[in-house]
Amino acid sequence: MTPMFLFRWQRALPALLAAFLLLGGSGCAMVTVKQVASSDYLVNKRADVLNTGKLSPASRETLSAAGLDESQCEKDFLVCRSTLLMTDDLNVEQRLSTLSELWVKAALALTPKKQAANEPPMSDAALDAWLEAARYGYAYLFYSGRSPSDRAFEDRQTQVRDYYNYAAEKAAVVLFARARAAALAGEDYTKPVSAGSWTLASDFQRLSLKSIPKQLVPAGTVSFVGMRSTYRRDGFGAELVMVMDPPKLVVPAVAAEGAKAETAQAQATKDEQEEGVRRGRRHQHDDSVPEYSEMSSINVTALLRFEGNTLEDVMRTRQVLLDGYSPEATERITLHGEEVPLAGNFTAAYGLWLAQSGFATQSLRTLFGMSEGIGEPHIYLMQPWDPNRRIIFMLHGLGSSPEAWVNLANEIMGDPELRQQFQVWQVYYPTNAPIALNRYEIANAFNDTLQHFDPNGSTRASKDMVYIGHSMGGVLARLLVSDSGDVLWNDLLANYNLKGERLKRVQSKLGPLLHFKAEPNVERAIFIAAPHQGTDIAGNKVGRLIGRLVRLPLTILGKFEDVFLALAQAEQQADGTAKPKIPNSIDNLKASDPFVKAAAQLPITPGLKYHSIIAQRKPELPVEKSDDGLVPYWSSHLPGALSEKVIISGHSVQETPQAVLEVRRILHQDIDEVGAVARP
């Protein structure tokens, strides 16, 4: 090859390459294969602005088709938005979904992550961005040409639903804060409020609120130590908790001037005491302090509805309605001709209520007769009253409170079938009081509550109820489903040397405590670690020490004070003790106590189905010789129980997963036997 030839070839090469490219050749474009890890695959499918801070692949593809990219939109959002709206080659779903995500990103940038206590919750600019994000998500879901059911399996719809739900949550909290501020200033709570160019109205009528709520908390912003599970339902709407002021409770007079208060109570007028007897209470009841309350935190699912019947109307409107629903009562709604499942969180309200209750400290103050304890039972409804759901009534044990049921109640309310068929009621009662007195007071409080909600006793809720009691609460539950006959009357009074007027006075006053009928319409009972025949531990050295620490203010006895004193004086004369002692709950739990021995003989209502759950602390011992650290097996065992589940655990067995599963099994069996109620 001559030098001249090489020279000519080099001169011709550029021309040949140019000709090749003109003919359609693409020597510079190459396709290669790159492996994608499974984790990256899922990130590429699911990642979006809410979980990474960056736009989703779907939105980036839409921007690319319009000649845009994410950085351009960050620099000039208004130009980016206008370009997307004017690009004809994009379909409606692409445009609306991408704009919803872009507005979420803009709103996140405008919303402070932390704010000072005296700062407003959100600026008008941030609220406007959240409302726009919700508006575009709403339009995508209902006005983009296909129905939500047509896109049921598409990841993109799930993303856009989340944009709408999150934006609705943010906007709802701001709207609530502004409406509450207006209400506290004397304005109508339901009056629409203005925010920039928007007019926002709220409708909470379905929640049947008794007062102005004090706080609206996004359910997703709270988690709880001490709860094993969080139960929720995926769907449409923002998951929130509406917090009300807690109810007042009856507090006995046991402060520093306790002795004076007790003397004053003992000198209450005869008319007041007679009024207390007439109304079936220990003493004249303060009507401003209710015997019952619905839980002061309630679950709410909030929707933002944008006015209009067409896509054009929705995109033009500045009118928004915030609708509130109870997720327990409403599972789905019809919206723009589509049946839509509502989102719901069934744990957050319960967790917030317990966390803010102060029960742990208050229950111990009550047991030891200190100030700020409670003096009367109080019934709590764990959900808003529902006449079509049967009642599960839970009774906690000694020195305890509704907190004892935290995981069991949460599991019941989190189980879809149990939640549909049952509503949970719990009693909070002074555990230092004598068992007979607590049985009487709890029965009154429960029946008064039921009478309030169902005066004629005609609803499904008033029939086929289930009682569940733990520890001393199990003893109380058993007494509530038993007839006393004359057993308690004869056996107890025989232990006292009472004669003449003293005997007549005791008999007339003690009647309500020792003569009683089983609660009607109770279909099943579950007794958990219940010392039906007492426990030796209550009478040993440690038990006696605790018993001496338990203080029983006389004010807690109300109209029964004099009869308890008479019995104590009779016992003092019989055994020569230095001073009369009124028996408290610890005394009643001794295996040798006359009351618990007599109560163990009472027959359970014929036909009642009952079950036992018993704890065994040391698995190496024979069951018959075992105990749970406090209650022996022989005391918890009940002949005739339909089932008896022994669980390796200490006394707080009601919180174990095994006990929760057993209770759920029993309740599901109960639904099969009694029959499920069709929910509206």
Side-chain angles (χ1 to χ4, degrees):
M1 186 177 295
T2 65
M4 182 59 69
F5 177 80
L6 290 174
F7 175 73
R8 291 175 177 173
W9 174 251
Q10 290 171 349
R11 291 184 62 185
L13 184 59
L16 290 171
L17 288 173
F20 178 73
L21 292 174
L22 287 172
L23 292 171
S26 182
C28 294
M30 297 180 63
V31 176
T32 60
V33 176
K34 179 182 177 181
Q35 284 297 123
V36 177
S38 59
S39 57
D40 292 336
Y41 166 76
L42 291 175
V43 167
N44 289 338
K45 281 173 62 68
R46 310 280 170 77
D48 66 5
V49 69
L50 289 178
N51 51 42
T52 68
K54 298 292 184 181
L55 294 180
S56 62
S59 287
R60 292 201 302 270
E61 290 170 6
T62 301
L63 291 179
S64 178
L68 299 165
D69 60 36
E70 189 168 358
S71 62
Q72 287 177 282
C73 290
E74 287 178 351
K75 292 175 183 176
D76 197 334
F77 178 72
L78 292 178
V79 170
C80 178
R81 173 177 173 270
S82 299
T83 302
L84 284 173
L85 290 172
M86 293 187 295
T87 302
D88 294 333
D89 291 341
L90 299 178
N91 65 45
V92 176
E93 290 187 3
Q94 286 178 301
R95 183 181 292 112
L96 294 175
S97 60
T98 300
L99 283 165
S100 181
E101 187 172 9
L102 283 168
W103 275 112
V104 169
K105 187 169 185 177
L108 288 170
L110 291 167
T111 304
K113 294 181 179 179
K114 293 183 180 180
Q115 61 186 60
N118 59 346
E119 289 182 356
M122 191 181 294
S123 66
D124 280 353
L127 177 59
D128 179 76
W130 286 119
L131 289 171
E132 290 289 5
R135 184 221 296 268
Y136 278 101
Y138 190 83
Y140 165 88
L141 292 167
F142 300 107
Y143 292 102
S144 60
R146 289 193 294 163
S147 69
S149 57
D150 292 334
R151 295 184 296 249
F153 294 102
E154 295 182 14
D155 290 335
R156 189 54 167 167
Q157 175 161 279
T158 300
Q159 289 179 321
V160 178
R161 180 207 65 192
D162 289 345
Y163 305 153
Y164 170 87
N165 288 355
Y166 194 64
E169 172 191 296
K170 294 293 187 181
V173 172
V174 177
L175 172 58
F176 166 80
R178 297 188 181 191
R180 185 174 190 275
L184 294 177
E187 297 182 21
D188 183 359
Y189 178 70
T190 61
K191 180 182 177 181
V193 297
S194 297
S197 61
W198 296 89
T199 300
L200 305 107
S202 57
D203 181 1
F204 294 133
Q205 290 186 10
R206 300 175 189 83
L207 301 176
S208 301
L209 301 178
K210 308 296 189 300
S211 61
I212 299 173
K214 68 175 187 178
Q215 194 177 9
L216 193 63
V217 179
T221 64
V222 291
S223 61
F224 305 100
V225 176
M227 273 186 166
R228 285 194 292 269
S229 305
T230 296
Y231 288 100
R232 52 176 306 281
R233 180 176 64 219
D234 279 333
F236 187 61
E239 299 166 25
L240 303 165
V241 179
M242 193 167 277
V243 181
M244 318 293 289
D245 287 318
K248 291 189 291 183
L249 301 179
V250 173
V251 178
V254 292
E257 299 295 320
K260 294 180 181 179
E262 289 171 3
T263 302
Q265 178 67 24
Q267 294 175 349
T269 65
K270 182 177 179 181
D271 289 343
E272 287 177 330
Q273 292 200 359
E274 291 300 323
E275 174 67 8
V277 173
R278 183 182 68 80
R279 298 175 64 187
R281 306 183 193 281
R282 280 182 273 186
H283 45 73
Q284 188 172 21
H285 187 78
D286 181 357
D287 287 332
S288 69
V289 182
E291 291 179 289
Y292 58 86
S293 61
E294 294 177 310
M295 200 166 58
S296 54
S297 296
I298 60 174
N299 296 310
V300 178
T301 299
L303 305 185
L304 288 181
R305 296 178 186 252
F306 293 85
E307 191 175 85
N309 295 313
T310 66
L311 176 59
E312 291 73 21
D313 290 343
V314 169
M315 299 315 299
R316 279 196 304 263
T317 189
R318 310 302 286 179
Q319 306 289 323
V320 185
L321 174 64
L322 174 68
D323 270 348
Y325 294 86
S326 165
E328 292 91 356
T330 307
E331 293 186 10
R332 55 188 64 243
I333 62 170
T334 300
L335 199 58
H336 303 294
E338 288 288 324
E339 192 175 71
V340 180
L342 286 186
N345 189 304
F346 306 103
T347 296
Y350 182 48
L352 267 180
W353 174 68
L354 285 177
Q356 297 174 356
S357 67
F359 285 146
T361 300
Q362 189 181 48
S363 60
L364 291 177
R365 299 186 72 86
T366 299
L367 180 64
F368 298 121
M370 302 167 68
S371 62
E372 300 178 19
I374 63 169
E376 286 185 357
H378 189 89
I379 307 296
Y380 284 105
L381 281 66
M382 299 293 100
Q383 304 98 347
W385 160 257
D386 187 333
N388 296 308
R389 285 182 168 94
R390 294 160 56 200
I391 294 170
I392 293 175
F393 185 42
M394 295 180 165
L395 301 94
H396 63 77
L398 180 71
S400 190
S401 72
E403 280 191 309
W405 301 114
V406 53
N407 283 304
L408 179 56
N410 185 44
E411 294 279 346
I412 290 173
M413 293 186 287
D415 184 306
E417 185 179 17
L418 298 183
R419 185 173 64 244
Q420 285 186 353
Q421 300 299 321
F422 293 106
Q423 56 190 317
V424 177
W425 290 16
Q426 296 181 5
V427 64
Y428 182 32
Y429 65 95
T431 61
N432 54 346
I435 290 177
L437 182 61
N438 265 329
R439 188 221 63 83
Y440 169 79
E441 290 289 340
I442 290 171
N444 280 344
F446 181 86
N447 291 324
D448 286 351
T449 304
L450 198 59
Q451 171 73 17
H452 169 80
F453 287 104
D454 186 15
N456 299 320
S458 58
T459 71
R460 185 74 180 99
S462 295
K463 300 175 176 62
D464 297 320
M465 293 179 281
V466 178
Y467 280 16
I468 304 177
H470 170 251
S471 190
M472 189 170 74
V475 176
L476 287 163
R478 185 179 181 278
L479 291 173
L480 288 167
V481 296
S482 301
D483 284 343
S484 68
D486 290 326
V487 173
L488 295 178
W489 184 264
N490 294 334
D491 286 14
L492 289 180
L493 291 186
N495 291 297
Y496 299 95
N497 184 24
L498 297 172
K499 297 178 182 178
E501 288 300 317
R502 178 183 285 184
L503 175 61
K504 290 180 181 179
R505 189 170 73 252
V506 168
Q507 287 177 330
S508 64
K509 285 286 188 74
L510 211 58
L513 302 188
L514 300 184
H515 278 129
F516 51 83
K517 292 286 187 182
E519 287 293 298
N521 300 316
V522 181
E523 179 262 341
R524 193 178 298 265
I526 304 173
F527 307 113
I528 306 176
H532 300 294
Q533 300 184 64
T535 170
D536 293 331
I537 292 173
N540 67 15
K541 186 175 180 180
V542 175
R544 290 195 299 272
L545 174 62
I546 296 174
R548 285 195 293 270
L549 295 175
V550 173
R551 181 167 176 260
L552 185 64
L554 294 183
T555 53
I556 210 170
L557 301 176
K559 69 186 181 68
F560 297 107
E561 175 189 335
D562 58 344
V563 70
F564 274 104
L565 279 172
L567 292 175
Q569 289 165 356
E571 188 170 10
Q572 170 202 12
Q573 293 169 1
D575 61 17
T577 54
K579 59 181 181 179
K581 181 181 185 300
I582 297 173
N584 56 41
S585 53
I586 293 284
D587 298 320
N588 283 160
L589 291 177
K590 296 175 183 175
S592 59
D593 181 70
F595 177 82
V596 78
K597 291 172 71 174
Q601 303 174 40
L602 300 183
I604 293 176
T605 303
L608 182 88
K609 304 166 188 173
Y610 59 94
H611 308 258
S612 294
I613 297 176
I614 299 174
Q616 181 181 1
R617 184 168 53 100
K618 297 180 178 179
E620 66 273 14
L621 292 178
V623 172
E624 294 77 11
K625 297 181 180 180
S626 68
D627 61 60
D628 61 19
L630 291 175
V631 179
Y633 171 84
W634 55 260
S635 185
S636 284
H637 171 72
L638 275 180
L642 291 179
S643 66
E644 180 180 277
K645 178 77 170 180
V646 178
I647 296 171
I648 304 303
S649 169
H651 185 61
S652 296
V653 64
Q654 84 284 359
E655 284 295 276
T656 65
Q658 296 90 335
V660 171
L661 286 172
E662 176 66 3
V663 172
R664 289 176 62 180
R665 180 196 69 79
I666 293 169
L667 293 176
H668 280 289
Q669 176 185 329
D670 185 84
I671 292 172
D672 292 339
E673 293 178 3
V674 174
V677 177
R679 302 292 305 162

